Amino acid sequence: MAVCVSGSHTIFMNRSNLKTVAVLSREKKMGVQYDLKQGQSRNFHELPSGLSMEVIVQKGAEINKNVEYPPLVFVHGSYHAAWCWAEHWLPFFSSSGYDCYAVSLLGQGESDAPADSVAGTLQTHARDVADFICRNIRSPPVLVGHSFGGLIIQYYISNLGNDNLKEDLFPKLKGAGLVCSVPPSGNSGIVWRYILTKPITAFKVTRSLAAKAFQTSLPLCKETFFSATMEDHVVKRYQELMKVSSRMPMFDLRKLNASLPVPSVPNCPFEVLVLGAKDDFIVDAEGLRETAKFYGVSPVCVEAVAHDMMLDVAWERGAEVILLWLNGLEK
């Protein structure tokens, strides 16, 4: 890997394509800027397509030199970008010794956008994450995905044992954490359950996400993503960032649903943590159980947190569950 450093920015250069990118003159994609915290840097990984993917990095503190801490790679969901991990979880996990990398998928955050109406497919997003890992991460990482980011990780996992793919296309993992993840069958089952049992909730979720009403209604934004106790000025800040995080849809949902469920993975060679939020307005308890059953594990449901677990008032509750699970992985 070749690395080009300029100021506080870094570009990860592909071994196969050493194309130089002018970082300081790089056009800002988000109208609202997210200011990085101390110890964080904004980086750009160049994909084989020539498009660059934003990566926010925070290196782990030296805790115990005799212990090998697996790198953590975070993948966001819809209307979010790498910044959503940089707010709380990157500082938390890096202080515990873990090198942390939060990616912005194409068309999201400060990443480049493809010449299409949508940012990609389940397959292309997973391959972009795999390419970043292959070219920049030296040891098997733990992938952590939120919401639709969790579904992307599930597709990544399903390809690890595929003999039809090149051996290094999807690098091996140390583990995977699925946080408030869309289940393997997609979100259509959740939508139908809400329509049949909670029609008002179904209307609110559809209005908030499909019609993007969360962008203009502070109360609806809070109800969709956060706990009721979050102060309005904090919700407003996140709302402004979410407005500009997705310049194009992550998927064509009709094509996505037609490609699901993700292929099963018999005898998954690493541990999978399925983590849900008790007050999740988007992914219901049945969706959480479906994901856990798919991987043959028991789900962990965190009390008093909402869908955006990594940004919510009690963000540390989910982080501590993941840290405990990480400490239990063979190092």
Side-chain angles (χ1 to χ4, degrees):
M1 176 187 71
V3 180
C4 174
V5 181
S6 180
S8 62
H9 295 73
T10 304
I11 296 186
F12 293 110
M13 307 301 295
N14 284 353
R15 291 189 295 261
S16 60
N17 184 8
L18 298 178
K19 180 181 178 183
T20 302
V21 180
V23 182
L24 294 181
S25 62
R26 183 181 174 88
E27 180 184 356
K28 295 288 190 291
K29 304 293 194 303
M30 292 175 58
V32 178
Q33 290 305 300
Y34 178 82
D35 295 326
L36 300 182
K37 298 183 180 299
Q38 184 175 358
Q40 297 177 349
S41 61
R42 177 171 283 110
N43 312 278
F44 294 91
H45 168 69
E46 188 179 277
L47 296 164
S49 64
L51 298 175
S52 292
M53 187 165 65
E54 177 189 25
V55 187
I56 297 178
V57 178
Q58 189 160 5
K59 291 291 187 175
E62 289 193 8
I63 305 296
N64 186 344
K65 293 183 178 180
N66 297 321
V67 175
E68 185 177 347
Y69 298 88
L72 308 182
V73 178
F74 297 86
V75 183
H76 64 84
S78 297
Y79 303 117
H80 291 67
W83 65 265
C84 72
W85 305 106
E87 183 77 351
H88 299 300
W89 281 20
L90 260 58
F92 177 86
F93 288 107
S94 64
S95 69
S96 298
Y98 295 91
D99 288 347
C100 297
Y101 305 85
V103 303
S104 289
L105 301 168
L106 290 182
Q108 322 298 308
E110 292 295 340
S111 292
D112 290 339
D116 205 340
S117 59
V118 296
T121 65
L122 203 58
Q123 294 82 357
T124 62
H125 287 311
R127 286 172 186 162
D128 290 345
V129 173
D131 185 77
F132 167 73
I133 293 172
C134 181
R135 301 190 182 280
N136 301 286
I137 309 297
R138 295 182 178 179
S139 58
V142 172
L143 275 178
V144 180
H146 176 253
S147 198
F148 268 114
L151 190 63
I152 291 169
I153 290 177
Q154 291 175 53
Y155 181 81
Y156 186 114
I157 294 171
S158 72
N159 281 276
L160 285 176
N162 193 329
D163 295 333
N164 296 323
L165 297 173
K166 293 182 180 179
E167 190 176 49
D168 63 347
L169 184 57
F170 286 86
K172 293 180 180 179
L173 301 177
K174 184 72 174 180
L178 306 176
V179 181
C180 301
S181 177
V182 173
S185 63
N187 64 355
S188 57
I190 297 172
V191 171
W192 278 110
R193 282 194 295 274
Y194 279 164
I195 289 174
L196 295 174
T197 63
K198 300 178 180 179
I200 296 177
T201 300
F203 172 76
K204 285 184 176 181
V205 170
T206 301
R207 178 170 174 264
S208 180
L209 300 177
K212 302 181 182 180
F214 79 88
Q215 297 182 348
T216 55
S217 170
L218 197 69
L220 188 57
C221 183
K222 178 186 285 191
E223 188 173 15
T224 303
F225 298 105
F226 308 111
S227 294
T229 54
M230 181 174 279
E231 296 182 5
D232 284 351
H233 72 92
V234 181
V235 178
K236 181 67 175 177
R237 174 170 172 256
Y238 293 151
Q239 181 189 45
E240 292 300 317
L241 284 165
M242 285 189 283
K243 281 182 185 179
V244 297
S245 287
S246 294
R247 303 190 307 284
M248 60 196 321
M250 280 175 56
F251 308 102
D252 179 320
L253 289 180
R254 289 185 179 180
K255 291 181 179 179
L256 173 66
N257 288 327
S259 71
L260 297 173
V262 296
S264 61
V265 185
N267 303 316
C268 185
F270 51 83
E271 289 190 37
V272 177
L273 172 66
V274 177
L275 189 63
K278 181 69 174 179
D279 299 332
D280 198 327
F281 193 68
I282 297 173
V283 179
D284 63 0
E286 182 59 33
L288 178 65
R289 287 192 292 268
E290 177 193 330
T291 305
K293 184 179 179 180
F294 190 80
Y295 292 101
V297 300
S298 297
V300 179
C301 192
V302 184
E303 298 285 338
V305 289
H307 184 70
D308 270 21
M309 186 184 295
M310 65 287 187
L311 291 171
D312 208 13
V313 177
W315 61 265
E316 69 279 0
R317 294 187 180 184
E320 287 168 354
V321 172
I322 294 175
L323 182 61
L324 184 63
W325 173 74
L326 288 170
N327 290 337
L329 295 178
E330 182 182 350
K331 293 181 180 177

Short mmCIF file of all heavy atoms in Angstrom, two decimals, residues 200-243:
data_model
loop_
_atom_site.label_atom_id
_atom_site.label_comp_id
_atom_site.label_asym_id
_atom_site.label_seq_id
_atom_site.Cartn_x
_atom_site.Cartn_y
_atom_site.Cartn_z
N ILE A 200 -50.34 3.24 12.40
CA ILE A 200 -49.87 4.62 12.62
C ILE A 200 -48.35 4.67 12.52
O ILE A 200 -47.78 5.56 11.90
CB ILE A 200 -50.37 5.16 13.97
CG1 ILE A 200 -51.90 5.27 13.97
CG2 ILE A 200 -49.73 6.51 14.27
CD1 ILE A 200 -52.49 5.73 15.29
N THR A 201 -47.69 3.68 13.15
CA THR A 201 -46.23 3.59 13.07
C THR A 201 -45.79 3.39 11.63
O THR A 201 -44.82 4.00 11.17
CB THR A 201 -45.70 2.44 13.94
OG1 THR A 201 -46.07 2.68 15.31
CG2 THR A 201 -44.19 2.33 13.84
N ALA A 202 -46.51 2.53 10.90
CA ALA A 202 -46.19 2.28 9.49
C ALA A 202 -46.26 3.58 8.68
O ALA A 202 -45.37 3.86 7.85
CB ALA A 202 -47.15 1.26 8.91
N PHE A 203 -47.29 4.38 8.94
CA PHE A 203 -47.43 5.65 8.24
C PHE A 203 -46.27 6.59 8.58
O PHE A 203 -45.68 7.23 7.69
CB PHE A 203 -48.77 6.32 8.60
CG PHE A 203 -48.91 7.71 8.09
CD1 PHE A 203 -49.20 7.95 6.74
CD2 PHE A 203 -48.75 8.80 8.94
CE1 PHE A 203 -49.32 9.25 6.26
CE2 PHE A 203 -48.86 10.09 8.46
CZ PHE A 203 -49.15 10.32 7.13
N LYS A 204 -45.93 6.67 9.87
CA LYS A 204 -44.85 7.57 10.30
C LYS A 204 -43.51 7.16 9.71
O LYS A 204 -42.73 8.00 9.25
CB LYS A 204 -44.77 7.58 11.83
CG LYS A 204 -45.87 8.37 12.52
CD LYS A 204 -45.63 8.41 14.02
CE LYS A 204 -46.66 9.27 14.74
NZ LYS A 204 -46.40 9.32 16.20
N VAL A 205 -43.21 5.85 9.75
CA VAL A 205 -41.94 5.37 9.21
C VAL A 205 -41.84 5.65 7.72
O VAL A 205 -40.81 6.12 7.22
CB VAL A 205 -41.76 3.85 9.49
CG1 VAL A 205 -40.55 3.31 8.72
CG2 VAL A 205 -41.59 3.59 10.98
N THR A 206 -42.93 5.39 6.99
CA THR A 206 -42.94 5.63 5.55
C THR A 206 -42.78 7.13 5.25
O THR A 206 -41.99 7.53 4.38
CB THR A 206 -44.26 5.13 4.93
OG1 THR A 206 -44.38 3.73 5.19
CG2 THR A 206 -44.27 5.37 3.43
N ARG A 207 -43.51 7.94 5.99
CA ARG A 207 -43.41 9.39 5.79
C ARG A 207 -42.01 9.89 6.13
O ARG A 207 -41.44 10.72 5.42
CB ARG A 207 -44.46 10.10 6.64
CG ARG A 207 -44.43 11.63 6.54
CD ARG A 207 -45.63 12.26 7.21
NE ARG A 207 -45.51 13.72 7.23
CZ ARG A 207 -45.04 14.42 8.26
NH1 ARG A 207 -44.70 13.80 9.38
NH2 ARG A 207 -44.95 15.73 8.19
N SER A 208 -41.46 9.37 7.22
CA SER A 208 -40.15 9.83 7.68
C SER A 208 -39.03 9.46 6.72
O SER A 208 -38.21 10.30 6.35
CB SER A 208 -39.84 9.26 9.06
OG SER A 208 -38.58 9.69 9.52
N LEU A 209 -39.00 8.18 6.29
CA LEU A 209 -37.87 7.68 5.51
C LEU A 209 -38.11 7.75 4.00
O LEU A 209 -37.30 8.32 3.27
CB LEU A 209 -37.56 6.24 5.93
CG LEU A 209 -37.17 6.07 7.41
CD1 LEU A 209 -36.94 4.61 7.73
CD2 LEU A 209 -35.95 6.91 7.74
N ALA A 210 -39.22 7.18 3.53
CA ALA A 210 -39.48 7.17 2.08
C ALA A 210 -39.74 8.58 1.56
O ALA A 210 -39.25 8.96 0.48
CB ALA A 210 -40.66 6.26 1.77
N ALA A 211 -40.51 9.36 2.32
CA ALA A 211 -40.81 10.73 1.90
C ALA A 211 -39.80 11.74 2.47
O ALA A 211 -39.93 12.95 2.23
CB ALA A 211 -42.22 11.11 2.34
N LYS A 212 -38.84 11.26 3.23
CA LYS A 212 -37.76 12.09 3.81
C LYS A 212 -38.28 13.21 4.70
O LYS A 212 -37.65 14.27 4.83
CB LYS A 212 -36.88 12.67 2.71
CG LYS A 212 -36.24 11.64 1.81
CD LYS A 212 -35.36 12.29 0.76
CE LYS A 212 -34.75 11.25 -0.17
NZ LYS A 212 -33.89 11.87 -1.21
N ALA A 213 -39.42 12.98 5.35
CA ALA A 213 -39.99 14.01 6.22
C ALA A 213 -39.15 14.24 7.47
O ALA A 213 -39.28 15.29 8.11
CB ALA A 213 -41.42 13.64 6.61
N PHE A 214 -38.28 13.29 7.82
CA PHE A 214 -37.40 13.48 8.98
C PHE A 214 -36.48 14.68 8.76
O PHE A 214 -35.98 15.27 9.74
CB PHE A 214 -36.55 12.23 9.23
CG PHE A 214 -35.36 12.08 8.32
CD1 PHE A 214 -34.14 12.66 8.64
CD2 PHE A 214 -35.46 11.38 7.13
CE1 PHE A 214 -33.05 12.54 7.79
CE2 PHE A 214 -34.37 11.26 6.28
CZ PHE A 214 -33.16 11.83 6.61
N GLN A 215 -36.27 15.05 7.50
CA GLN A 215 -35.38 16.17 7.19
C GLN A 215 -35.97 17.53 7.55
O GLN A 215 -35.23 18.50 7.76
CB GLN A 215 -35.00 16.15 5.71
CG GLN A 215 -34.21 14.92 5.29
CD GLN A 215 -33.82 14.96 3.82
OE1 GLN A 215 -34.30 15.78 3.04
NE2 GLN A 215 -32.93 14.06 3.42
N THR A 216 -37.30 17.60 7.63
CA THR A 216 -37.96 18.88 7.88
C THR A 216 -38.71 18.92 9.20
O THR A 216 -39.06 20.00 9.68
CB THR A 216 -38.94 19.21 6.74
OG1 THR A 216 -39.85 18.13 6.57
CG2 THR A 216 -38.17 19.44 5.43
N SER A 217 -38.98 17.75 9.78
CA SER A 217 -39.71 17.69 11.05
C SER A 217 -38.79 17.22 12.16
O SER A 217 -38.36 16.06 12.17
CB SER A 217 -40.91 16.74 10.93
OG SER A 217 -41.48 16.49 12.20
N LEU A 218 -38.48 18.11 13.08
CA LEU A 218 -37.60 17.74 14.20
C LEU A 218 -38.23 16.66 15.08
O LEU A 218 -37.55 15.69 15.45
CB LEU A 218 -37.25 18.98 15.03
CG LEU A 218 -36.04 18.83 15.96
CD1 LEU A 218 -34.77 18.71 15.15
CD2 LEU A 218 -35.96 20.03 16.90
N PRO A 219 -39.53 16.77 15.44
CA PRO A 219 -40.14 15.71 16.25
C PRO A 219 -40.11 14.35 15.57
O PRO A 219 -39.86 13.32 16.22
CB PRO A 219 -41.58 16.20 16.46
CG PRO A 219 -41.51 17.68 16.30
CD PRO A 219 -40.46 17.90 15.24
N LEU A 220 -40.35 14.32 14.26
CA LEU A 220 -40.35 13.04 13.55
C LEU A 220 -38.94 12.48 13.44
O LEU A 220 -38.73 11.27 13.53
CB LEU A 220 -40.96 13.21 12.16
CG LEU A 220 -41.20 11.92 11.37
CD1 LEU A 220 -42.10 10.96 12.14
CD2 LEU A 220 -41.81 12.24 10.00
N CYS A 221 -37.96 13.35 13.26
CA CYS A 221 -36.57 12.91 13.23
C CYS A 221 -36.18 12.27 14.55
O CYS A 221 -35.55 11.21 14.58
CB CYS A 221 -35.65 14.10 12.93
SG CYS A 221 -33.90 13.67 12.77
N LYS A 222 -36.58 12.91 15.65
CA LYS A 222 -36.28 12.37 16.97
C LYS A 222 -36.96 11.03 17.17
O LYS A 222 -36.34 10.05 17.62
CB LYS A 222 -36.72 13.35 18.07
CG LYS A 222 -36.49 12.82 19.48
CD LYS A 222 -37.08 13.73 20.55
CE LYS A 222 -36.24 14.97 20.75
NZ LYS A 222 -36.65 15.74 21.96
N GLU A 223 -38.23 10.93 16.81
CA GLU A 223 -38.98 9.70 17.00
C GLU A 223 -38.41 8.57 16.15
O GLU A 223 -38.40 7.41 16.56
CB GLU A 223 -40.45 9.91 16.66
CG GLU A 223 -41.34 8.73 17.01
CD GLU A 223 -42.82 9.03 16.81
OE1 GLU A 223 -43.15 10.04 16.14
OE2 GLU A 223 -43.66 8.26 17.33
N THR A 224 -37.93 8.88 14.95
CA THR A 224 -37.42 7.86 14.04
C THR A 224 -36.08 7.31 14.48
O THR A 224 -35.86 6.09 14.45
CB THR A 224 -37.27 8.44 12.62
OG1 THR A 224 -38.53 8.95 12.18
CG2 THR A 224 -36.80 7.36 11.64
N PHE A 225 -35.18 8.18 14.92
CA PHE A 225 -33.80 7.77 15.15
C PHE A 225 -33.33 7.78 16.60
O PHE A 225 -32.39 7.05 16.95
CB PHE A 225 -32.85 8.65 14.34
CG PHE A 225 -33.04 8.57 12.85
CD1 PHE A 225 -33.68 9.60 12.16
CD2 PHE A 225 -32.61 7.47 12.14
CE1 PHE A 225 -33.86 9.54 10.79
CE2 PHE A 225 -32.77 7.39 10.76
CZ PHE A 225 -33.40 8.42 10.08
N PHE A 226 -33.94 8.61 17.44
CA PHE A 226 -33.36 8.87 18.76
C PHE A 226 -34.36 8.66 19.90
O PHE A 226 -35.56 8.54 19.69
CB PHE A 226 -32.81 10.29 18.81
CG PHE A 226 -31.88 10.62 17.67
CD1 PHE A 226 -32.26 11.53 16.69
CD2 PHE A 226 -30.64 10.01 17.56
CE1 PHE A 226 -31.43 11.83 15.63
CE2 PHE A 226 -29.79 10.30 16.51
CZ PHE A 226 -30.18 11.21 15.54
N SER A 227 -33.81 8.69 21.10
CA SER A 227 -34.64 8.59 22.30
C SER A 227 -35.35 9.92 22.57
O SER A 227 -34.85 10.99 22.19
CB SER A 227 -33.79 8.22 23.52
OG SER A 227 -33.25 6.92 23.38
N ALA A 228 -36.49 9.83 23.24
CA ALA A 228 -37.28 11.03 23.52
C ALA A 228 -36.54 12.01 24.43
O ALA A 228 -36.85 13.20 24.45
CB ALA A 228 -38.61 10.63 24.16
N THR A 229 -35.55 11.51 25.18
CA THR A 229 -34.82 12.36 26.13
C THR A 229 -33.69 13.16 25.47
O THR A 229 -33.09 14.00 26.13
CB THR A 229 -34.22 11.49 27.25
OG1 THR A 229 -33.43 10.45 26.68
CG2 THR A 229 -35.32 10.88 28.11
N MET A 230 -33.41 12.91 24.19
CA MET A 230 -32.35 13.67 23.53
C MET A 230 -32.79 15.12 23.37
O MET A 230 -33.91 15.40 22.93
CB MET A 230 -31.99 13.07 22.17
CG MET A 230 -30.88 13.83 21.45
SD MET A 230 -30.33 13.05 19.91
CE MET A 230 -29.23 11.78 20.55
N GLU A 231 -31.92 16.05 23.72
CA GLU A 231 -32.24 17.47 23.63
C GLU A 231 -32.40 17.89 22.17
O GLU A 231 -31.68 17.41 21.29
CB GLU A 231 -31.16 18.30 24.32
CG GLU A 231 -31.07 18.04 25.82
CD GLU A 231 -30.01 18.92 26.49
OE1 GLU A 231 -29.43 19.78 25.79
OE2 GLU A 231 -29.79 18.74 27.69
N ASP A 232 -33.32 18.81 21.93
CA ASP A 232 -33.67 19.20 20.57
C ASP A 232 -32.48 19.77 19.79
O ASP A 232 -32.35 19.53 18.58
CB ASP A 232 -34.81 20.22 20.58
CG ASP A 232 -36.16 19.57 20.86
OD1 ASP A 232 -36.23 18.33 20.87
OD2 ASP A 232 -37.14 20.31 21.06
N HIS A 233 -31.61 20.50 20.47
CA HIS A 233 -30.48 21.10 19.74
C HIS A 233 -29.51 20.03 19.24
O HIS A 233 -28.86 20.22 18.20
CB HIS A 233 -29.77 22.14 20.61
CG HIS A 233 -28.95 21.56 21.73
ND1 HIS A 233 -27.61 21.26 21.60
CD2 HIS A 233 -29.29 21.21 22.99
CE1 HIS A 233 -27.15 20.76 22.74
NE2 HIS A 233 -28.16 20.72 23.59
N VAL A 234 -29.43 18.91 19.95
CA VAL A 234 -28.58 17.80 19.52
C VAL A 234 -29.24 17.10 18.32
O VAL A 234 -28.58 16.78 17.33
CB VAL A 234 -28.32 16.80 20.66
CG1 VAL A 234 -27.42 15.66 20.18
CG2 VAL A 234 -27.70 17.51 21.86
N VAL A 235 -30.56 16.86 18.43
CA VAL A 235 -31.30 16.27 17.32
C VAL A 235 -31.15 17.14 16.08
O VAL A 235 -30.92 16.63 14.96
CB VAL A 235 -32.79 16.09 17.67
CG1 VAL A 235 -33.55 15.52 16.47
CG2 VAL A 235 -32.96 15.19 18.88
N LYS A 236 -31.26 18.45 16.25
CA LYS A 236 -31.16 19.39 15.13
C LYS A 236 -29.80 19.27 14.44
O LYS A 236 -29.71 19.28 13.20
CB LYS A 236 -31.37 20.82 15.64
CG LYS A 236 -31.30 21.89 14.55
CD LYS A 236 -32.46 21.77 13.58
CE LYS A 236 -32.45 22.92 12.59
NZ LYS A 236 -33.53 22.78 11.57
N ARG A 237 -28.74 19.14 15.22
CA ARG A 237 -27.39 19.01 14.65
C ARG A 237 -27.28 17.75 13.81
O ARG A 237 -26.78 17.77 12.68
CB ARG A 237 -26.35 19.00 15.77
CG ARG A 237 -24.93 18.73 15.29
CD ARG A 237 -23.92 18.98 16.38
NE ARG A 237 -22.60 18.55 15.96
CZ ARG A 237 -22.00 17.44 16.36
NH1 ARG A 237 -22.62 16.63 17.22
NH2 ARG A 237 -20.79 17.12 15.95
N TYR A 238 -27.77 16.63 14.33
CA TYR A 238 -27.71 15.38 13.58
C TYR A 238 -28.63 15.42 12.37
O TYR A 238 -28.30 14.89 11.30
CB TYR A 238 -28.07 14.20 14.49
CG TYR A 238 -27.07 13.94 15.60
CD1 TYR A 238 -27.48 13.38 16.81
CD2 TYR A 238 -25.73 14.25 15.45
CE1 TYR A 238 -26.57 13.13 17.83
CE2 TYR A 238 -24.82 14.01 16.46
CZ TYR A 238 -25.24 13.45 17.65
OH TYR A 238 -24.33 13.22 18.65
N GLN A 239 -29.78 16.05 12.53
CA GLN A 239 -30.72 16.18 11.41
C GLN A 239 -30.06 16.93 10.24
O GLN A 239 -30.18 16.52 9.08
CB GLN A 239 -31.97 16.93 11.86
CG GLN A 239 -33.03 17.09 10.77
CD GLN A 239 -34.15 18.03 11.21
OE1 GLN A 239 -33.90 19.10 11.78
NE2 GLN A 239 -35.39 17.61 10.98
N GLU A 240 -29.34 18.01 10.55
CA GLU A 240 -28.67 18.79 9.51
C GLU A 240 -27.61 17.96 8.80
O GLU A 240 -27.43 18.04 7.58
CB GLU A 240 -28.05 20.05 10.11
CG GLU A 240 -29.06 21.08 10.59
CD GLU A 240 -29.97 21.57 9.48
OE1 GLU A 240 -29.47 21.82 8.37
OE2 GLU A 240 -31.18 21.69 9.71
N LEU A 241 -26.89 17.12 9.55
CA LEU A 241 -25.87 16.27 8.96
C LEU A 241 -26.51 15.17 8.10
O LEU A 241 -26.02 14.86 7.01
CB LEU A 241 -25.00 15.64 10.05
CG LEU A 241 -23.98 16.58 10.69
CD1 LEU A 241 -23.44 15.99 11.99
CD2 LEU A 241 -22.82 16.87 9.73
N MET A 242 -27.62 14.61 8.58
CA MET A 242 -28.28 13.55 7.82
C MET A 242 -28.88 14.08 6.52
O MET A 242 -28.94 13.37 5.52
CB MET A 242 -29.36 12.88 8.68
CG MET A 242 -28.78 11.94 9.74
SD MET A 242 -30.03 10.94 10.57
CE MET A 242 -30.73 12.13 11.69
N LYS A 243 -29.33 15.33 6.54
CA LYS A 243 -29.90 15.93 5.32
C LYS A 243 -28.91 15.89 4.16
O LYS A 243 -29.30 15.70 3.00
CB LYS A 243 -30.27 17.40 5.58
CG LYS A 243 -31.57 17.63 6.31
CD LYS A 243 -31.79 19.13 6.44
CE LYS A 243 -33.00 19.48 7.27
NZ LYS A 243 -33.18 20.94 7.40
#
